[in-house]
């Protein structure tokens, strides 16, 4: 039986396109005739910066080295045509803000300014003016920030030196954020069925998803799934059963007919996702008296979990905003599993959280279990469900909340999954320590704008999510029981 780490190799990952980073470097051309050795040194630094970006999981569009405002405008036009997810401007030495503003204005993409001097410090005893100017990239940072503010352009910067890994970690954080922007900006979200009756917090206007993130919402019917499931062959069912046996441990409670039905629906879901070119799906259908649509809704957990593990998040209960959070979490490599509060443990000061239905196999601490259930609590139907404990260690809760004016907000909180007793009821479960009274955490988390579902992410990723919110132009809120440093 494979572990969760090599089970992922059995699944073909889904990705629409790589993150696209635009890069331009520059300095003030008036220096070149005065200090002949300066430009070659700066161009060498720019080549190093370019090589570091090319080493990331991103496509890099390098607009070259600019020395005046005219060249900057041409670079901005090139990057505009490239449709970048993030523009990075490397201030190699002092340059005027008139050389930076055209890049930001013309590209139409969010901008990150970086200034990385050659080493940790100057050799003061041996440096002349030309050597000093190679260390002068920090000088224009306040100037650029001021002009961006006056132009209504969000300013972001990372200052450091070329080989400073902590600076590159901060830069990589913005690249991760650009990955979220890229994934959401080009995403096609499937919305199938109808709202779980009475869940007012879950109700989401698809138009605001498109206007906020640039995503498309494809409205689907359960009939679309029904016809694709009907077309699944017995041979395809056998193949999916074999895959499921490699990915999951089968509990003795699993009924063979229900297992086969889940496998058949799983193949149908794959076709649905492929035919409509989807990046995520949120679904719910109540059904009645065991009719086919009820059986379809009840048979989706196996296939939805496999799709989620491939990077196509599936969220039950028509939770479009949580499927968006799960997709964003997937973009930064943090998993992202469908989650809600289950209970509080005041002896251990932990929040117990998880959910029935689709789960992200990457967050499991062990080989995930398929358990047979005679009833789905609060839902019609029965069948197989996924059960596992989340990996011990740091985690982040990540919700897409909504404010009274309809605007979206990214909400995060960081905690630690700790071992301890958990229910064995066919749910994904975890015990999260947020560093204090779990009741107080629930109160603060509930006041943040979150709904009652969110994505549970591996690692402390609030900074990445905050950066993504910045690039998307929405607010970020962080909930913490610990005092601010």
């Amino acid at each position: 039986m494979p572990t969760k780490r090599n089970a992922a190799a059995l699944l073909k990952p889904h990705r629409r396109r790589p993150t696209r980073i635009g890069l331009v470097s520059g300095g003030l051309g008036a220096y070149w005739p005065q200090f002949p050795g300066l430009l070659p040194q700066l161009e060498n630094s720019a080549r190093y910066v370019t090589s570091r970006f090319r080493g990331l999981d991103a496509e890099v569009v390098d607009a070259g080295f600019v020395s005046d405002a005219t060249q900057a405008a041409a670079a901005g036009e090139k990057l505009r045509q490239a449709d970048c997810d993030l523009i990075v401007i490397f201030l190699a030495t002092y340059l005027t803000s008139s050389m930076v503003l055209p890049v930001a204005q013309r590209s139409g993409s969010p901008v990150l300014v970086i200034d990385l001097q050659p080493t940790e410090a100057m050799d003061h005893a041996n440096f002349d003016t030309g050597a000093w100017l190679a260390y002068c990239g920090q000088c224009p940072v306040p100037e650029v920030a001021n002009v961006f503010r006056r132009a209504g352009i969000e300013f972001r910067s990372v200052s450091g030196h070329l080989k400073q890994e902590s600076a590159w970690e901060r830069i990589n954080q913005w690249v991760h954020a650009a990955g979220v922007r890229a994934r959401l900006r080009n995403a096609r979200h499937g919305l199938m069925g109808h709202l779980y009756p009475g869940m007012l917090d879950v109700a989401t206007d698809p138009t605001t998803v498109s206007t906020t993130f640039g995503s498309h919402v494809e409205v689907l019917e359960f009939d679309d799934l029904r016809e694709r499931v009907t077309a699944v062959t017995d041979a395809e069912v056998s193949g999916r059963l074999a895959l499921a046996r490699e990915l999951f441990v089968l509990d003795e409670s699993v009924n063979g007919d229900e297992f086969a039905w889940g496998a058949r629906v799983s193949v149908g879901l794959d076709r649905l996702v492929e035919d409509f070119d989807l990046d995520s799906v949120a679904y719910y259908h109540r059904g009645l008296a065991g009719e086919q649509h009820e059986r379809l809704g009840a048979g989706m957990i196996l296939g939805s979990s496999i799709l989620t593990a491939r990077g196509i998040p599936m969220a039950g209960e028509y939770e479009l905003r949580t499927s968006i959070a799960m997709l964003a979490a997937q973009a930064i490599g943090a998993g992202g599993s469908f989650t809600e509060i289950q209970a509080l443990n005041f002896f251990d000061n932990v929040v117990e959280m998880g959910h029935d239905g689709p789960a992200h196999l990457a967050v499991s601490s062990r080989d995930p279990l398929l358990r047979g259930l005679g009833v789905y609590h609060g839902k019609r139907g029965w069948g197989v469900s996924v059960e596992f404990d989340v990996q011990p260690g740091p985690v982040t809760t990540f919700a897409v909340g909504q404010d009274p004016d309809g605007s979206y907000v990214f909400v995060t909180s960081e905690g630690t999954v700790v071992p301890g007793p958990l229910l064995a009821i066919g749910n994904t479960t975890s015990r999260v320590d947020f560093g204090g009274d779990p009741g107080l955490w629930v109160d603060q988390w509930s006041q943040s704008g979150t709904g009652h579902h969110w994505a549970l992410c591996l690692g402390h990723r609030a900074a990445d999510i905050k950066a993504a919110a910045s690039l998307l132009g929405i607010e970020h809120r962080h909930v913490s029981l610990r005092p601010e440093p």
Side-chain angles (χ1 to χ4, degrees):
M1 177 66 63
T3 67
K4 57 181 171 56
R5 290 178 176 82
N6 58 34
L10 299 169
L11 304 173
K12 181 180 178 181
H14 171 78
R15 189 180 189 188
R16 188 165 294 279
R17 71 160 177 80
T19 306
R20 190 171 296 142
I21 304 298
L23 180 61
V24 60
S25 305
L28 186 63
Y31 296 148
W32 313 153
Q34 296 176 321
F35 309 100
L38 178 58
L39 179 58
Q41 181 182 0
L42 300 181
E43 288 177 329
N44 187 55
S45 293
R47 282 191 290 271
Y48 176 80
V49 168
T50 300
S51 69
R52 289 293 299 249
F53 275 99
R54 293 199 187 282
L56 301 175
D57 183 22
E59 176 186 341
V60 179
V61 180
D62 190 354
F65 198 100
V66 300
S67 300
D68 57 41
T70 300
Q71 293 177 2
E77 182 63 20
K78 177 179 179 178
L79 297 178
R80 182 192 67 80
Q81 295 176 17
D83 187 29
C84 298
D85 302 303
L86 177 69
I87 304 296
V88 179
I89 303 176
F90 172 40
L91 309 183
T93 184
Y94 176 79
L95 44 65
T96 63
S97 49
S98 66
M99 297 171 57
V100 179
L101 185 61
V103 177
Q105 288 179 318
R106 290 175 183 245
S107 67
S109 301
V111 176
L112 172 67
V113 171
I114 64 173
D115 51 283
L116 304 172
Q117 65 187 38
T119 64
E120 292 89 337
M122 292 187 292
D123 181 1
H124 297 81
N126 297 303
F127 270 29
D128 59 12
T129 302
W132 155 60
L133 287 172
Y135 284 72
C136 201
Q138 291 80 17
C139 180
V141 175
E143 175 181 341
V144 173
N146 175 275
V147 172
F148 273 28
R149 177 182 290 270
R150 292 162 69 180
I153 298 170
E154 186 77 20
F155 178 78
R156 309 166 187 88
S157 67
V158 173
S159 300
H161 64 85
L162 278 175
K163 305 294 179 67
Q164 184 182 357
E165 289 306 315
S166 59
W168 280 104
E169 288 174 6
R170 291 157 59 202
I171 292 170
N172 292 348
Q173 191 173 86
W174 287 109
V175 175
H176 293 155
V180 174
R181 181 176 184 266
R183 194 70 64 92
L184 296 186
R185 194 162 61 101
N186 296 283
R188 290 174 54 84
H189 306 291
L191 193 58
M192 184 168 66
H194 62 82
L195 185 72
Y196 188 105
M199 287 186 181
L200 304 182
D201 65 317
V202 169
T204 301
D205 176 5
T207 300
T208 61
V209 172
S210 297
T211 57
T212 301
F213 303 114
S215 306
H216 170 76
V217 179
E218 184 74 16
V219 176
L220 306 171
E221 305 284 355
F222 259 76
D223 305 298
D224 295 316
L225 177 61
R226 180 196 66 212
E227 292 304 298
R228 286 162 177 82
V229 170
T230 299
V232 174
T233 67
D234 290 343
E236 289 172 321
V237 172
S238 296
R240 187 51 50 96
L241 288 171
L243 174 63
R245 289 188 178 98
E246 291 189 83
L247 293 173
F248 298 92
V249 174
L250 269 62
D251 185 75
E252 62 183 13
S253 60
V254 173
N255 175 280
D257 291 339
E258 295 306 320
F259 186 26
W261 174 247
R264 187 175 296 274
V265 175
S266 176
V267 177
L269 279 170
D270 283 2
R271 288 182 178 167
L272 182 80
V273 165
E274 182 178 356
D275 290 348
F276 286 95
D277 191 23
L278 302 176
D279 297 280
S280 76
V281 179
Y283 68 90
Y284 176 76
H285 185 81
R286 180 168 54 191
L288 184 66
E291 52 82 34
Q292 188 173 17
H293 290 92
E294 177 185 301
R295 298 293 295 121
L296 285 169
M300 290 181 65
I301 293 176
L302 172 62
S304 294
S305 297
I306 292 174
L307 281 167
T308 300
R310 282 182 48 205
I312 304 171
M314 303 283 289
E317 297 178 8
Y318 214 59
E319 244 299 12
L320 176 57
R321 295 202 308 278
T322 298
S323 67
I324 291 170
M326 292 166 68
L327 185 62
Q330 182 74 32
I332 60 174
S337 200
F338 193 38
T339 307
E340 66 184 2
I341 298 170
Q342 293 177 320
L344 305 181
N345 184 321
F346 290 95
F347 290 118
D348 300 334
N349 276 347
V350 295
V351 180
E352 298 184 27
M353 59 177 67
H355 210 285
D356 62 344
H360 200 311
L361 306 186
V363 308
S364 176
S365 66
R366 53 185 170 85
D367 293 324
L369 179 78
L370 278 184
R371 183 181 295 279
L373 298 180
V375 62
Y376 291 153
H377 74 275
K379 305 177 182 70
R380 297 194 60 85
W382 63 93
V384 294
S385 188
V386 174
E387 176 181 306
F388 60 69
D389 306 342
V390 175
Q391 294 179 35
V395 292
T396 302
T397 55
F398 171 28
V400 178
Q402 195 164 22
D403 282 348
D405 64 357
S407 61
Y408 292 117
V409 56
F410 281 179
V411 185
T412 57
S413 188
E414 294 178 338
T416 303
V417 170
V418 296
L422 293 164
L423 295 173
I425 58 171
N427 281 207
T428 59
T429 53
S430 58
R431 293 158 38 95
V432 185
D433 181 354
F434 288 101
D437 185 326
L440 180 59
W441 181 85
V442 171
D443 292 339
Q444 294 187 10
W445 179 249
S446 300
Q447 293 168 17
S448 68
T450 179
H452 79 283
H453 300 122
W454 47 87
L456 185 66
C457 310
L458 296 182
H460 284 165
R461 307 306 295 266
D464 295 290
I465 296 165
K466 179 180 179 180
S470 172
L471 298 189
L472 289 162
I474 64 176
E475 185 180 350
H476 168 259
R477 294 178 191 142
H478 187 65
V479 174
S480 177
L481 299 182
R482 298 177 176 87
E484 291 295 326

